[in-house]
Amino acid sequence: QIRTRTIIDRHVSQLQQLLREAETNGHTAPLAEYFQLMKDEPDSISQAAEILGLKQQMEALRTAESSRNAQIDQLIEKASAAADGASMPRDLEEPVKTLEEASRLAKNASERMRISVGETKVREKRATLQTKLDENFGSRVKEITEPIAALPDDELSPYDEVLRQIDEASRMPEVS
């Protein structure tokens, strides 16, 4: 009996440690592996109330971790879809917030890496959209300014139109 109690106490201690680590880092596989190894122990040990209680805690944690991981995946997918549909840099504010929410849920490097891939996609999309906006603005300015040389020196009314067009172009949103 004393030997059985000592073995149970040792397993309980080890399982509690693995459970705390899994709660922190989201990795439940070491816990599952430990319980798998415990199947080799006699029933008086593997079926002890303390061991079964910890197994229930592990199952609850696995369910919670699975849900958390699914939520991270959903947030990454949501951000990716929103980034794909963005037509202006300001449209990327929501995907950034969504990825920030996913980051708050992340517990380990693997999860943070998946989120980082999404963040990179959003940054690349922002750069592409900004470049397109800036190029369109540059083209518009060129369209406005090229004809200035051909305007008459003695009449001001054509210049008023050019100034109106310049003013209009300067109001283009999000030009850097």
Side-chain angles (χ1 to χ4, degrees), residues 58-69:
M58 179 200 67
E59 292 302 329
L61 180 61
R62 286 173 69 169
T63 300
E65 287 302 313
S66 177
S67 175
R68 187 182 60 77
N69 267 298

Side-chain angles (χ1 to χ4, degrees), residues 25-172:
N25 65 24
H27 296 297
T28 59
L31 257 173
E33 291 167 9
Y34 195 97
F35 277 109
Q36 188 64 34
L37 292 173
M38 286 203 61
K39 288 183 177 182
D40 295 338
E41 293 282 356
D43 284 350
S44 61
I45 294 172
S46 66
Q47 299 299 310
E50 303 98 309
I51 302 295
L52 294 177
L54 289 167
K55 190 169 188 176
Q56 286 178 336
Q57 288 181 34
M58 179 200 67
E59 292 302 329
L61 180 61
R62 286 173 69 169
T63 300
E65 287 302 313
S66 177
S67 175
R68 187 182 60 77
N69 267 298
Q71 188 176 6
I72 289 171
D73 289 340
Q74 289 170 348
L75 290 168
I76 291 169
E77 181 55 39
K78 179 181 175 184
S80 178
D84 288 342
S87 59
M88 297 289 280
R90 71 174 164 266
D91 297 340
L92 296 169
E93 291 172 15
E94 194 59 37
V96 166
K97 288 179 185 174
T98 301
L99 290 170
E100 288 170 353
E101 184 179 345
S103 289
R104 286 189 291 277
L105 295 173
K107 289 185 176 181
N108 57 57
S110 172
E111 294 164 353
R112 285 188 286 277
M113 181 59 75
R114 291 181 2 235
I115 294 164
S116 178
V117 168
E119 291 169 337
T120 299
K121 181 178 180 177
V122 169
R123 279 192 302 275
E124 289 171 351
K125 180 73 173 194
R126 183 183 307 276
T128 299
L129 291 174
Q130 191 65 57
T131 298
K132 184 178 174 184
L133 270 174
D134 292 346
E135 287 172 354
N136 288 344
F137 178 76
S139 296
R140 181 69 181 124
V141 168
K142 187 175 181 182
E143 288 173 13
I144 294 169
T145 57
E146 281 183 347
I148 290 178
L151 293 177
D153 293 337
D154 58 348
E155 190 178 335
L156 294 178
S157 61
Y159 289 97
D160 290 339
E161 176 58 20
V162 170
L163 288 173
R164 186 194 64 72
Q165 290 177 10
I166 290 172
D167 183 54
E168 182 182 301
S170 70
R171 295 173 197 214
M172 289 179 74

